[in-house]
Amino acid sequence: MRTMHRPACKIEVHPIEFFNLIAHSFNGVVGESILKVQSSSLNIQFQKFESSGPKTILNLFKELAISFTKIKEKYLVSADLSLHVRLKFEEDDSYYRIKLIGYNKVPPNKILKLCDLIIWYFIVYISGSKPSESVYGKELVQKWKIEKKQFENNLMKFANRRIEFSNLTKPCYICVEDTHFINNWTFFYRKENRYLDMITRVCENHRGKIL
């Protein structure tokens, strides 16, 4: 009897420019270069100061590890694919740093959502208090909510969409339901004055969502 082989899963890589847009928006809100995009990793870096310690960013590392485990279970269904996405903690004389390796293989909206977690821990790191316990924290969280909504609105405003059909089913980026549909977005990248394509997998109910 012949053994049937399933077709190899193609690794979907999202444009690095999209993550540069996220980093630019996030850093603009917090007023520091917390997110730094590199070709192989998205770095979360907290600058050291006299009374700082690694406890807060290590707690963030643990939370991100939990989140990434869930993301890999839901979206990177092949064990081979999941190996491409992992976390690494580093520090030097100036920074504590978490590296999200293979970030561009993760559904883009999940990286945007993780920014909510990052800003929470950044506020704790800077102020020593939870965001809900200080005016500074509440204002920064609210500012990020507004910026994130504006970010999504701007993408919708400057993007064109083509709906495509794939022979392979993969999880919807929004609700994880298996789907054959693909939204192929073309959006204008103003920084370099050119257009970029980005694929998002969506079910019937979420075909109107850019992320």
Side-chain angles (χ1 to χ4, degrees):
M1 181 181 293
R2 294 179 61 185
T3 302
M4 297 296 293
H5 295 282
R6 298 179 67 183
C9 292
K10 181 181 178 182
I11 301 176
E12 294 176 351
V13 178
H14 307 289
I16 190 173
E17 292 85 355
F18 176 81
F19 300 98
N20 274 322
L21 290 174
I22 293 178
H24 178 76
S25 296
F26 186 90
N27 292 339
V29 168
V30 299
E32 295 187 30
S33 295
I34 302 299
L35 298 185
K36 184 177 181 181
V37 179
Q38 297 184 326
S39 59
S40 61
S41 67
L42 174 63
N43 297 344
I44 305 162
Q45 50 188 30
F46 287 6
Q47 188 169 14
K48 292 181 177 180
F49 52 88
E50 188 173 343
S51 59
S52 68
K55 181 180 178 180
T56 299
I57 196 165
L58 284 173
N59 286 336
L60 171 58
F61 181 85
K62 293 175 186 176
E63 291 287 342
L64 288 171
I66 293 170
S67 296
F68 264 66
T69 297
K70 292 178 180 178
I71 287 170
K72 290 199 286 186
E73 289 174 350
K74 291 178 179 179
Y75 299 99
L76 304 180
V77 292
S78 165
D80 292 337
L81 294 182
S82 68
L83 293 174
H84 291 270
V85 178
R86 61 190 189 278
L87 304 181
K88 185 177 181 181
F89 177 80
E90 296 179 345
E91 69 171 293
D92 55 31
D93 292 340
S94 301
Y95 291 96
Y96 299 113
R97 188 175 291 109
I98 297 172
K99 306 186 83 168
L100 311 184
I101 300 168
Y103 67 96
N104 57 346
K105 300 170 183 69
V106 173
N109 60 321
K110 303 307 171 188
I111 296 294
L112 189 61
K113 187 173 180 59
L114 288 177
C115 288
D116 298 345
L117 189 64
I118 296 167
I119 202 166
W120 196 96
Y121 277 95
F122 171 75
I123 292 167
V124 173
Y125 182 74
I126 293 297
S127 68
S129 301
K130 296 177 182 180
S132 61
E133 296 174 347
S134 69
V135 173
Y136 166 77
K138 291 177 182 177
E139 288 181 347
L140 202 59
V141 167
Q142 184 60 26
K143 189 177 178 181
W144 169 241
K145 286 181 179 178
I146 294 171
E147 178 65 23
K148 187 167 66 168
K149 185 64 177 177
Q150 186 63 43
F151 177 85
E152 294 173 351
N153 289 341
N154 284 341
L155 280 182
M156 290 292 289
K157 184 178 179 180
F158 296 106
N160 295 316
R161 179 184 63 169
R162 300 190 311 275
I163 300 174
E164 299 178 2
F165 186 87
S166 170
N167 290 326
L168 294 175
T169 59
K170 287 189 177 182
C172 169
Y173 283 0
I174 309 297
C175 68
V176 201
E177 179 182 331
D178 281 347
T179 181
H180 289 280
F181 289 109
I182 296 171
N183 274 347
N184 195 323
W185 296 94
T186 300
F187 65 93
F188 186 62
Y189 187 52
R190 283 191 280 183
K191 183 178 179 181
E192 296 181 4
N193 196 31
R194 62 190 177 94
Y195 287 90
L196 295 168
D197 290 326
M198 184 169 69
I199 289 175
T200 56
R201 292 187 171 271
V202 287
C203 65
E204 185 75 27
N205 291 331
H206 295 115
R207 277 171 30 186
K209 295 282 188 179
I210 191 166
L211 295 175

